[in-house]
Amino acid sequence: MAARIFDDPGFAARPAGQPLIFSIDDTGTTPDRFVVIVKRSSAYTAGTPVQVAKFYLTPNTNGVAFFDLSPIAESVLEFPLKAGSTVVHKTATFADAMDGLTMQRFQVQVARYNNSTGEGSVDQTEEVIVTNGTQQIADGLHPSFSDYLWGNDVGFLTERPVANNVITHRARRDEEMVVSFIDGDDIGEARTGTYNIRATYYPYTGASYTGLAGVLPAGTDVTEMLLQIPIGGPNLAALYPGIPFTLEETDYIDFYLYRSDTPNEGQIGNAYRVVFDDTRGCRNTATQVAWLNTKGGWEYLRFDTRAPKQISVEGKTFRKTIGTYGEATFSFDPAGSQYDTFAKTGKEQFTLQENFFDAGERALLDSLMKSRLVQIRRMDEDVWKPVTVKTNSLTIQPAGSQFYNVSLTVEIAQDIRC
């Protein structure tokens, strides 16, 4: 007799924000309880996983117990915010792995527990690789994440549409951006061949230039599987001394995975195309918005219209006794304040507006509203600030042929000390 996991997500990359259900029963007599042990590891297959949780589950009337790993995984995983001391949006090192527990291998072990004999040894272990992201129940119990592994239908952790094997992103040359990427062609299988990331730069006139953009990490750290590829103009500045034309002369850039071993050379999967467009927002200070999409990757939009700022202050008022009670002669200071505040903090809100979002950019707003992590950068500032999107603040109105007026209110997710 032994406890067993007869249904599970499988050893694959999954987003933590979907139900990750493990179905448990016993090959013989149903025990009083099942023991479920959860461990995590930063190593792809080796290493000694660290225990993070332990549960005792009572079987239902059918002798079965169900365990959902997702709440545990979400509490352990971290957002991909930095590589070393560099903010993720500013990184200029290609194929940069993020710090922290951004991607982990989880083990779920099961055993039996009987009141008379106590806890038995582990009978079975199943594993899954989990990163941040959110899939909906309507997508199925364990919706496949394989489309977002390299060489497959999408190949990048983006919600931008694919057309003719190209994912298009229009940006100004001063935008800081990365695109997220999972370094793995089939989780659980050994990689065959050698690969790198290439970029092909297309000028307005003249011949294109193709160069090596980054070498994929060769280690066994799971964190190295979740990579961020710099694609913004400021991120690429260090590469341009070796390119025969300038950033200002560049029309667009294609980033893609490339297999380099003979005789299998060639592009793998889709290209992520950054098309430079500086015609919008030339008279205003634009605002970049970055958020983690449902796939756990970074997504970006730019709002070009003026962003009015509003500051609100909260505090509790108390009354002071005024007068010179400690002096030989009593007097009042007519300029003294009898009422003051304590616990006084302020909040900054920005109303982001854009008049020329196309249908694809409008569709990305759904992902922005549902994201758990949103950041903004005013284009005249260097710092990225965390924000919360105000509920029901999004308004979308048609504005001519295939364009939309959009308004959105965000609040800086940090107190202003008063």
Side-chain angles (χ1 to χ4, degrees):
M1 296 183 293
R4 65 165 185 163
I5 300 173
F6 66 87
D7 187 66
D8 62 90
F11 189 55
R14 301 287 181 191
Q18 72 171 84
L20 299 171
I21 305 296
F22 291 74
S23 303
I24 306 164
D25 69 358
D26 195 88
T27 57
T29 304
T30 301
D32 299 306
R33 276 164 286 177
F34 290 106
V35 184
V36 178
I37 302 168
V38 180
K39 298 181 178 181
R40 65 145 189 93
S41 176
S42 294
Y44 181 54
T45 53
T48 302
V50 178
Q51 182 171 317
V52 295
K54 189 173 186 178
F55 302 91
Y56 294 86
L57 305 182
T58 301
N60 62 20
T61 56
N62 293 304
V64 178
F66 301 98
F67 172 71
D68 186 2
L69 175 64
S70 59
I72 306 300
E74 286 184 304
S75 68
V76 171
L77 291 172
E78 300 173 352
F79 295 114
L81 295 175
K82 286 189 174 182
S85 59
T86 304
V87 174
V88 59
H89 314 292
K90 297 179 177 295
T91 183
T93 303
F94 277 88
D96 217 347
M98 294 295 99
D99 288 353
L101 308 178
T102 55
M103 198 170 194
Q104 289 288 285
R105 172 171 62 100
F106 282 89
Q107 282 188 350
V108 175
Q109 300 178 334
V110 294
R112 296 162 47 90
Y113 183 90
N114 288 306
N115 294 331
S116 58
T117 59
E119 185 176 319
S121 59
V122 172
D123 292 319
Q124 187 176 354
T125 299
E126 294 292 345
E127 296 185 315
V128 61
I129 293 177
V130 181
T131 186
N132 272 304
T134 304
Q135 296 283 58
Q136 305 305 315
I137 294 175
D139 295 329
L141 180 60
H142 301 304
S144 174
F145 210 54
S146 61
D147 286 351
Y148 298 92
L149 304 181
W150 73 19
N152 291 340
D153 291 349
V154 179
F156 294 94
L157 296 179
T158 180
E159 294 178 325
R160 294 178 180 271
V162 181
N164 299 320
N165 299 112
V166 174
I167 303 165
T168 301
H169 184 163
R170 294 187 176 275
R172 273 175 32 173
R173 288 173 174 80
D174 56 354
E175 292 185 49
E176 298 173 349
M177 302 181 300
V178 298
V179 62
S180 306
F181 178 82
I182 291 184
D183 175 18
D185 54 352
D186 194 350
I187 300 298
E189 293 186 7
R191 181 190 301 171
T192 57
T194 56
Y195 300 83
N196 54 52
I197 298 173
R198 293 195 177 191
T200 300
Y201 302 76
Y202 294 88
Y204 288 110
T205 59
S208 64
Y209 172 84
T210 297
L212 180 66
V215 178
L216 299 176
T220 58
D221 193 329
V222 179
T223 305
E224 293 181 348
M225 295 176 62
L226 180 61
L227 307 178
Q228 313 297 333
I229 304 171
I231 59 174
N235 310 82
L236 302 173
L239 292 179
Y240 265 89
I243 299 173
F245 42 86
T246 66
L247 177 65
E248 287 69 27
E249 295 171 326
T250 304
D251 184 9
Y252 63 93
I253 308 173
D254 282 348
F255 300 89
Y256 50 90
L257 182 73
Y258 189 85
R259 183 167 181 175
S260 56
D261 56 294
T262 307
N264 303 299
E265 299 95 332
Q267 178 179 329
I268 305 295
N270 299 310
Y272 194 96
R273 176 172 296 173
V274 178
V275 180
F276 292 117
D277 179 8
D278 290 337
T279 60
R280 282 169 37 182
C282 58
R283 297 178 60 87
N284 301 308
T285 299
T287 302
Q288 263 191 280
V289 180
W291 71 95
L292 280 180
N293 61 27
T294 61
K295 312 300 183 282
W298 284 105
E299 209 76 74
Y300 298 86
L301 280 175
R302 186 180 77 248
F303 291 77
D304 290 315
T305 306
R306 291 184 180 91
K309 181 173 75 172
Q310 177 183 355
I311 297 180
S312 60
V313 177
E314 295 178 351
K316 295 185 177 180
T317 302
F318 67 96
R319 191 180 70 172
K320 299 188 297 184
T321 301
I322 62 173
T324 55
Y325 287 93
E327 302 295 331
T329 301
F330 185 87
S331 64
F332 289 105
D333 179 4
S337 174
Q338 190 171 3
Y339 291 92
D340 206 343
T341 57
F342 68 96
K344 187 175 182 181
T345 57
K347 289 286 189 180
E348 273 187 4
Q349 286 188 0
F350 292 89
T351 302
L352 308 181
Q353 302 173 82
E354 176 55 55
N355 297 327
F356 296 103
F357 274 168
D358 60 25
E361 291 168 320
R362 182 207 62 186
L364 287 174
L365 292 168
D366 292 345
S367 172
L368 170 60
M369 292 298 292
K370 293 183 290 187
S371 178
R372 290 184 296 161
L373 180 65
V374 183
Q375 297 181 336
I376 68 169
R377 179 179 79 98
R378 300 269 293 174
M379 302 295 279
D380 58 350
E381 298 178 345
D382 189 55
V383 64
W384 283 87
K385 299 177 181 179
V387 297
T388 55
V389 180
K390 302 304 290 182
T391 305
N392 299 327
S393 67
L394 176 64
T395 60
I396 303 175
Q397 296 179 336
S401 177
Q402 299 185 6
F403 284 106
Y404 300 87
N405 288 333
V406 174
S407 177
L408 178 69
T409 301
V410 298
E411 184 176 85
I412 302 298
Q414 297 167 337
D415 285 334
I416 300 173
R417 305 302 296 269
C418 300

